[in-house]
Amino acid sequence: MNHRIEQLVAYMEQHAIDAVLITMPKHVYYLTGFATDPHERFLGLLIPRQAEPLLIVPALDLEAAQAASSVKSIYTHTDTDNPYEVLTKLMPAGVQSLGLEKDYMTVSRFEAISRAVGASVYADIDEPLRDMRVIKTPDEVVRMKHAVRIIEDVLRAGISQVKPGVSEIELVAELEYQMKKLGASGPSFSTMVLAGENSALPHGVPGSRVVREGELLLFDLGVYADGYASDITRTFAVGDISAEQTKIYNTVLAANLRGIEATRPGATLASLDRAAREHIESAGYGPYFMHRLGHGLGMDVHEYPSVHGQNQDVLRSGMVFTIEPGIYVPGIGGVRIEDDVLVTDGGVEVLTTFPKELTVIG
C-alpha cells in the first residue's frame, strides 16, 4: 500500500469509514499511478479500511493497468458485463459507511453504487483528497515545471507568427499545433488569443478578429504534460500603443509583482489578493479588476486553493497556484499577466519565467 493510500486509510479510521470508492480518473491516477480516460465505462479504486485495495477497470485497460498501477489486485469488466455486479462481489461484507467523491459523483452513478453496496452512510471524501493534493511533492513540482517549459516554448513560437492581419483563431491553431509538437498531451483549457477590444473580455472567445497595429494582444494558454497542468498569460503591444494602454500594462505588472512578493508560508490567501488589488485600486482601475487573483494548479488547471480576498486559509510550503491580476477597460483593451508560483519554505519560487516587461511584437 503506497503512502497516499495510507493517508486516506488513516482518514477513514479517524472518521469510521468502512471503505472508499474512488471513481474520478485523476484521483485513480493520483493514488495508483494508472492514468486512463474510461469514457462512459466504470473505473473504480476500492479501498477497504481493513483489507488491501483493489482496482476495477474496463477489460480493454487491463494490460495498461497492470503495467502502471501500484495496486496489483486488478479486476475487469467487459462491455456486456454489469460493472456494479462486479463491485458487489468485491465489496467486503458489512460495509455500512462508504466514502465517495461527492463533487464528482453523478446522481445516476450514485444510485447504481448505492444499490450495489447497500451502505447506510455515504461520506464525502473530497476534503482529504483536496488536502493531500494541495501540497505538491518534489516529483509533482518537476512535472509542473516541465509543463511550464513547454507552454513557454509554445508561446515563443506563437508570437513569432503575429503580424497585422492574422486572426485570433489562426494564432490559436498555431499554438495548439506547437503544444503537440513540443510534447504536451494537449491544452489544459481552451486557448485564448484576444486582440484589441476583445482583450477587455476576461473570458473572451477567439474568432475571426484580426490583429491590428496600435492595440493590445492577450495570450492565455496552458498544457497538460505528464499528468500536470501549466497556465500562463502574457499581453503584448502590437506596434505603438497609447499612453493609457501603457499605464494599464504597467499597473497590472506592478500588481502582479506585489502579489508574488506577498507570497510566503503563513500568509493568508486573502492578503495576496489585497496586495495586488489595492495597487490597481490606487491607480483608479479598481472596477476593471473583476475576478480573483488566482487559482490552484496541479492535476487540474483550476483546483484548490482559490486566491481571493475572503479566503483566510494560510499558505503552506508546497502549494502551487496562479497570480494573475488584470485590468479590462471596454473600448481600450485589457491586460492580464499570469504566473505560476510555488510556495517554498523560504518564500516563493516563480515557475514561469517568460519575460513580463511590456514587449512590442508584430
Side-chain angles (χ1 to χ4, degrees), residues 19-301:
V20 160
L21 180 63
I22 302 293
T23 57
M24 182 178 176
K26 285 183 180 178
H27 282 155
V28 171
Y29 170 64
Y30 184 73
L31 294 167
T32 73
F34 169 56
T36 187
D37 180 357
H39 303 289
E40 75 281 3
R41 298 178 177 92
F42 180 81
L43 171 71
L45 171 63
L46 179 61
I47 307 173
R49 193 172 77 203
Q50 297 181 332
E52 288 298 309
L54 56 92
L55 189 59
I56 305 170
V57 304
L60 52 79
D61 283 334
L62 176 60
E63 186 174 346
Q66 288 172 331
S69 174
S70 63
V71 172
K72 296 306 180 185
S73 295
I74 302 174
Y75 298 83
T76 65
H77 59 91
T78 68
D79 287 346
T80 56
D81 291 334
N82 181 342
Y84 300 101
E85 291 179 358
V86 177
L87 177 62
T88 299
K89 292 175 182 177
L90 295 172
M91 186 67 61
V95 170
Q96 294 301 310
S97 176
L98 180 69
L100 299 171
E101 305 139 300
K102 289 189 176 182
D103 282 349
Y104 178 73
M105 187 68 56
T106 64
V107 173
S108 60
R109 177 156 285 185
F110 170 75
E111 289 174 343
I113 290 171
S114 180
R115 287 191 297 268
V117 177
S120 56
V121 175
Y122 291 92
D124 188 3
I125 49 92
D126 284 310
E127 182 178 345
L129 288 166
R130 184 201 75 177
D131 290 345
M132 290 164 62
R133 284 178 55 179
V134 73
I135 304 300
K136 271 54 180 183
T137 65
D139 174 68
E140 288 179 296
V141 172
V142 168
R143 291 168 185 253
M144 296 188 73
K145 287 180 176 180
H146 177 56
V148 167
R149 295 290 85 76
I150 290 176
I151 201 56
E152 292 188 331
D153 287 344
V154 167
L155 181 55
R156 287 186 187 92
I159 63 175
S160 71
Q161 302 301 308
V162 173
K163 58 183 182 298
V166 68
S167 70
E168 296 168 332
I169 202 67
E170 286 175 310
L171 291 171
V172 169
E174 175 63 25
L175 291 164
E176 295 192 348
Y177 163 70
Q178 291 292 337
M179 290 177 189
K180 288 285 190 176
K181 183 178 178 181
L182 294 171
S185 303
S188 52
F189 57 95
S190 296
T191 304
M192 279 191 278
V193 178
L194 302 171
E197 71 283 353
N198 287 347
S199 64
L201 303 172
H203 278 176
V205 178
S208 59
R209 169 66 157 82
V210 299
V211 173
R212 302 184 189 119
E213 290 272 352
E215 62 186 22
L216 296 165
L217 182 63
L218 185 151
F219 291 76
D220 188 353
L221 63 165
V223 293
Y224 280 118
D226 294 334
Y228 286 80
S230 57
D231 186 0
I232 187 172
T233 306
R234 291 293 186 265
T235 308
F236 301 93
V238 181
D240 294 330
I241 58 173
S242 70
E244 176 76 358
Q245 290 167 326
T246 302
K247 180 185 177 184
I248 290 171
Y249 189 95
N250 290 333
T251 302
V252 172
L253 177 57
N256 167 275
L257 295 173
R258 287 172 182 240
I260 292 169
E261 288 167 3
T263 302
R264 62 186 182 278
T268 64
L269 290 156
S271 70
L272 275 58
D273 186 282
R274 286 197 303 272
R277 193 172 303 275
E278 287 173 359
H279 180 74
I280 289 174
E281 290 171 347
S282 69
Y285 294 107
Y288 302 107
F289 178 22
M290 68 287 289
H291 57 73
R292 63 188 175 180
L293 181 64
H295 56 82
L297 192 67
M299 290 195 303
D300 288 304
V301 72

